[in-house]
Amino acid sequence: MQWQTLSNRPFLPPLYWRAALKRKISGTSLPDLGLRCRVSVDPKAVAVYRKVCGFADSPMLPATYPHILAFGVQMQLLTDKAFPFPLLGLIHLSNRIRVHRPLGGVGELWIGVHAQNLKPHAKGATFDLITTVEDALGLLWEGESRMLCRGVKLSGPAEDEPLPTPAQVSELTRWNAPSDIGRRYARVSGDYNPIHLSALTARLFGFPQAIAHGLWNKARSLAALGEHLPAANIELFVEFRKPVRLPSEVHLSASAAGSSGEWVLNGAGGIEHMVGRWQPIG
């Protein structure tokens, strides 16, 4: 892996312009490239993120917040000329977070981003976008987002083992996903994908309504789970099923608090939006 160190967090507008211009698949292999960048945690930005995602005040960063710190670096990688797949149109299938140590007293951090594990899929090909966060003591946090690019032709069998629907769960809470949550989350995350912003922009990409960001659904669920979850040495895995159309009401069901467990986010008519589990890091 060839690692490149960025002098500053990437400025997003040019990256969105680059993403808009690339609409075709240009290859079938991932670049041997990783990006690193030093970032600072802004307490005011964290406070706004907490409000948008429903997290209570705490000295600990939300487990999903490092994704916000890393978003610009991820965009820089995914819009690089060597990256073969167009960013617009990528589908986020699943997300795994590993919190190795408590996310408290965090100031200066190093973010690392690279892509790996390109595999055939029934609808194209998948790859894993890997994000690591380190502090002065070493590895603090890891994220793994599995992305699908439709239309990629790879040889070999397509492997797909979905997470089973949790059985031993009971309803914990429910909430409304308002029509403007995509725009509000975009302002705190930098993710202005048109499918999340309005019905008008979502229709350009085949969606009848705007849909909530998958990572907002995950963050909102983790905020609701709250004391169910350990603060560290925890892996949080979710699969995104059907998108949450905006506006809509959803309800969260989960197993009892403990070192491991499961949850599911459902909508009207029992539709499964997301299934997840938590467990100690193995």
Side-chain angles (χ1 to χ4, degrees):
M1 182 71 62
Q2 296 181 345
W3 285 93
Q4 183 182 117
T5 300
L6 307 178
S7 57
N8 296 292
R9 289 176 71 175
F11 185 51
L12 290 176
L15 301 182
Y16 272 108
W17 181 246
R18 195 186 299 176
L21 292 177
K22 181 168 184 175
R23 304 305 293 269
K24 294 182 179 180
I25 297 165
S26 59
T28 55
S29 62
L30 297 173
D32 187 30
L33 173 66
L35 300 179
R36 298 184 76 238
C37 185
R38 191 174 182 177
V39 303
S40 299
V41 177
D42 179 357
K44 291 182 180 179
V46 176
V48 176
Y49 176 83
R50 288 185 188 281
K51 185 175 181 180
V52 170
C53 298
F55 287 101
D57 288 339
S58 169
M60 303 291 179
L61 286 182
T64 45
Y65 193 73
H67 276 301
I68 305 302
L69 298 173
F71 181 72
V73 187
Q74 294 170 342
M75 281 279 291
Q76 181 87 34
L77 179 70
L78 294 175
T79 58
D80 190 275
K81 291 181 180 179
F83 205 83
F85 310 136
L87 175 58
L88 291 178
L90 290 180
I91 300 169
H92 197 174
L93 297 181
S94 66
N95 177 264
R96 186 189 314 274
I97 289 172
R98 295 186 182 98
V99 183
H100 291 271
R101 288 179 282 116
L103 302 177
V106 176
E108 296 286 325
L109 296 168
W110 277 99
I111 304 288
V113 177
H114 70 281
Q116 65 181 35
N117 199 28
L118 185 63
K119 289 185 175 181
H121 185 275
K123 297 180 180 178
T126 60
F127 66 92
D128 295 334
L129 183 64
I130 306 297
T131 303
T132 58
V133 175
E134 298 181 0
D135 62 5
L137 298 177
L139 184 62
L140 179 65
W141 181 99
E142 295 175 278
E144 175 190 295
S145 293
R146 179 149 296 175
M147 312 300 293
L148 167 66
C149 182
R150 295 178 183 269
V152 181
K153 306 293 185 182
L154 295 180
S155 60
E159 299 178 6
D160 187 16
E161 295 183 8
L163 205 63
T165 298
Q168 304 298 318
V169 294
S170 56
E171 184 172 326
L172 187 66
T173 187
R174 56 180 61 207
W175 61 82
N176 289 311
S179 58
D180 68 343
I181 196 61
R183 297 187 293 276
R184 291 170 57 201
Y185 185 78
R187 286 194 287 271
V188 300
S189 68
D191 186 353
Y192 283 90
N193 189 320
I195 63 176
H196 304 303
L197 304 182
S198 70
L200 181 63
T201 55
R203 287 191 197 107
L204 298 175
F205 293 86
F207 292 92
Q209 297 165 255
I211 63 173
H213 293 74
L215 284 177
W216 180 78
N217 291 330
K218 182 173 185 177
R220 185 66 183 83
S221 296
L222 294 182
L225 285 166
E227 299 301 320
H228 269 63
L229 307 175
N233 188 37
I234 184 173
E235 177 179 291
L236 302 155
F237 178 76
V238 297
E239 282 184 357
F240 303 113
R241 300 280 170 89
K242 298 291 185 181
V244 175
R245 295 182 179 184
L246 301 176
S248 64
E249 184 183 64
V250 296
H251 57 272
L252 179 74
S253 299
S255 52
S259 60
S260 61
E262 301 174 299
W263 79 87
V264 59
L265 187 69
N266 293 111
I271 185 173
E272 282 186 5
H273 294 302
M274 182 177 68
V275 296
R277 69 183 177 211
W278 73 90
Q279 62 189 32
I281 296 173

